[in-house]
Amino acid sequence: MKRLTLLIDADDTVLDFANSERDSIIALCREYSILSEEKVAEKFKQINRRMWDMFERGEITREQIFYTRFEELFEYFSIKGLDPIIVGDKYRENMACSKRIIHGARACLNRLSQNHDLYCVTNGITRTQILRLKSSGLGKYFKKVYISQQMGLAKPSKEFFQFVLQDIGDCDLNKTYIIGDSLTSDIQGGINSGIKTILFNKEGKLIKDIVPDWQVRGYKELEGLIEKLAK
């Protein structure tokens, strides 16, 4: 069996970003006595996703996301008297404390790490991602974690993946795969860099313009695919 190099995304691939995000926003709503917490959480989700998509396209900076998302949220719900900078900081602290992982992620990473080299590649915030990987117990399965804020580079740029591959060293592209849930970040990044791509598509999202080499709907299917690729 060949030993593969697996570059694995964090959020919504192994870490449960969606529920961590919801928990964090609802905690803020309760702390600041903001009503309609579910509606606020849903609206924030929409704003946050749109802004991270803009970040991936190079249209805004990460720092702009941190605070303008709360400015927009407060304006939409006519929330007065709250400082978006302070609330933004508290949101990231809430996220950093989250232990939410996708069901089955721990067992999958444990098994894959026994026969292959696992590296985490994420566009997240350095402190937040390091603490989440540590508190969730998933960090130990990765030989190294590459975080865009720390690197000054971001997926899907070719430069991000070039940095990762050079840092790993002696990396055979024929045995290297990027695994992630995002077509625009993980899969497009792999395509840009000549890395084989595996879409972790547990939601069954529609594939149009960006086409991965393989797609899986869950961890069992992922492990089966990795086993075949390693033969």
Side-chain angles (χ1 to χ4, degrees):
M1 179 178 286
K2 294 181 290 187
R3 191 170 185 87
L4 306 180
T5 298
L6 305 179
L7 311 179
I8 303 177
D9 175 50
D11 287 315
D12 289 325
T13 301
V14 291
L15 294 176
D16 188 344
F17 177 82
N19 280 309
S20 296
E21 177 187 65
R22 177 186 174 278
D23 292 346
S24 300
I25 291 298
I26 287 180
L28 288 175
C29 287
R30 292 175 181 174
E31 179 177 353
Y32 292 110
S33 301
I34 298 172
L35 301 177
S36 304
E37 56 190 36
E38 291 291 349
K39 290 182 179 179
V40 173
E42 181 58 32
K43 185 61 180 178
F44 180 83
K45 176 182 178 180
Q46 296 170 9
I47 294 170
N48 200 34
R49 182 64 267 166
R50 173 167 48 80
M51 289 191 173
W52 278 107
D53 287 344
M54 292 170 67
F55 170 76
E56 289 175 8
R57 295 193 297 267
E59 296 171 2
I60 59 174
T61 66
R62 183 183 291 99
E63 287 66 30
Q64 285 176 297
I65 296 175
F66 290 170
Y67 307 116
T68 56
R69 58 188 174 184
F70 283 99
E71 289 177 353
E72 186 173 330
L73 183 72
F74 295 164
E75 183 177 351
Y76 182 86
F77 286 102
S78 300
I79 297 170
K80 308 294 183 183
L82 294 181
D83 187 333
I85 295 177
I86 293 175
V87 176
D89 288 342
K90 288 195 174 186
Y91 167 78
R92 294 199 303 281
E93 285 301 311
N94 289 347
M95 287 293 290
C97 294
S98 176
K99 297 181 180 180
R100 291 262 202 175
I101 64 174
I102 299 175
H103 180 69
R106 191 186 315 282
C108 178
L109 292 180
N110 180 41
R111 286 190 288 267
L112 290 178
S113 65
Q114 293 175 28
N115 298 306
H116 306 290
D117 298 322
L118 276 53
Y119 298 90
C120 183
V121 289
T122 172
N123 269 352
I125 300 160
T126 303
R127 183 174 183 276
T128 302
Q129 297 301 69
I130 288 174
L131 288 176
R132 289 175 70 205
L133 287 167
K134 182 179 179 179
S135 63
S136 67
L138 298 187
K140 64 184 178 183
Y141 299 114
F142 296 105
K143 299 190 75 171
K144 193 165 183 178
V145 178
Y146 295 93
I147 305 173
S148 62
Q149 184 183 39
Q150 196 172 47
M151 296 162 59
L153 300 165
K155 300 180 293 183
S157 74
K158 185 176 181 179
E159 291 76 14
F160 177 96
F161 289 96
Q162 284 178 332
F163 180 97
V164 170
L165 295 177
Q166 288 171 6
D167 191 68
I168 292 173
D170 193 26
C171 195
D172 185 348
L173 277 181
N174 291 318
K175 300 177 184 177
T176 301
Y177 301 82
I178 169 72
I179 303 166
D181 71 294
S182 172
L183 287 165
T184 55
S185 175
D186 305 308
I187 305 309
Q188 186 61 61
I191 292 170
N192 292 345
S193 310
I195 300 171
K196 297 181 181 67
T197 59
I198 302 171
L199 178 67
F200 186 72
N201 194 7
K202 64 183 178 66
E203 304 297 333
K205 66 184 70 173
L206 214 56
I207 297 175
K208 293 183 179 179
D209 301 325
I210 304 171
V211 182
D213 294 298
W214 299 271
Q215 62 171 313
V216 295
R217 293 294 296 269
Y219 296 121
K220 185 176 181 180
E221 193 176 343
L222 174 61
E223 289 186 61
L225 174 61
I226 296 300
E227 185 176 350
K228 289 179 183 177
L229 296 174
K231 286 183 178 179

